[in-house]
Amino acid sequence: MYKSRMRYVTGLREAMTGLAANRVRAVLLAPDVEAVAGEAELDADLLALSKDGVVPESTGALSEAAIQQLRTSAAKLGLDGCVRTIIAACRLRRIPVVFCMSRQRFAHALGLPKVRFSIVAVYSATGAYDEMRTLVKEADRSHVAYNQLLDLSLIHI
């Protein structure tokens, strides 16, 4: 019997597992993730990358420390550490990260109104390539507009 492939996964642990296995093609992230610190320290390079977004000149391959960070349990990293690690790994691999809906709207969009999750990792956009391309273009355009607005506000301070 034919078994269909997963097109997306929800949740921080599943997204981190997919990134470690190099299966993720895009990440949709809710901006209302609660900040919960963990007991494990973030890799310094990943922490800097998740904050300022400067991508080093590389082939997109993650360092051994970064891969180990992805395999660290989500409980040890905490919510804040998981989100920063996912963002940094996506920036290193040039995987689009889109900040979009609230956690509750994610659930409604996927038909799971009682469940709340903060991340959707897209494995395959089969049959929806145009929509995915449009989503990424609009996210890039919004990111540029936000940075311009931020630059203008810093000039007037």
Side-chain angles (χ1 to χ4, degrees), residues 72-95:
T72 304
S73 74
K76 288 183 182 175
L77 286 175
L79 271 170
D80 206 28
C82 286
V83 171
R84 288 182 187 269
T85 302
I86 289 169
I87 292 171
C90 288
R91 285 184 175 158
L92 270 175
R93 293 181 177 164
R94 293 180 173 48
I95 296 171

Side-chain angles (χ1 to χ4, degrees), residues 59-116:
T59 59
L62 288 174
S63 66
E64 202 55 43
I67 292 173
Q68 192 60 35
Q69 187 84 49
L70 285 172
R71 291 190 176 130
T72 304
S73 74
K76 288 183 182 175
L77 286 175
L79 271 170
D80 206 28
C82 286
V83 171
R84 288 182 187 269
T85 302
I86 289 169
I87 292 171
C90 288
R91 285 184 175 158
L92 270 175
R93 293 181 177 164
R94 293 180 173 48
I95 296 171
V97 177
V98 179
F99 290 89
C100 46
M101 312 174 208
S102 66
R103 294 182 299 153
Q104 187 174 7
R105 288 190 180 193
F106 260 143
H108 283 290
L110 295 175
L112 305 166
K114 302 280 184 189
V115 182
R116 288 190 181 161

Side-chain angles (χ1 to χ4, degrees), residues 20 56 105-106 120 130 137:
R105 288 190 180 193
F106 260 143
V120 174
D130 292 336
K137 281 183 184 177

Side-chain angles (χ1 to χ4, degrees), residues 14-88:
E14 289 80 7
M16 289 179 70
T17 303
L19 278 168
N22 203 17
R23 296 179 63 189
V24 176
R25 301 294 169 249
V27 171
L28 307 174
L29 192 60
D32 62 345
V33 178
E34 300 165 1
V36 177
E39 57 193 50
E41 293 270 334
L42 278 177
D43 183 52
D45 293 335
L46 284 179
L47 183 60
L49 184 64
S50 70
K51 283 184 179 176
D52 58 12
V54 177
V55 179
E57 294 299 321
S58 67
T59 59
L62 288 174
S63 66
E64 202 55 43
I67 292 173
Q68 192 60 35
Q69 187 84 49
L70 285 172
R71 291 190 176 130
T72 304
S73 74
K76 288 183 182 175
L77 286 175
L79 271 170
D80 206 28
C82 286
V83 171
R84 288 182 187 269
T85 302
I86 289 169
I87 292 171

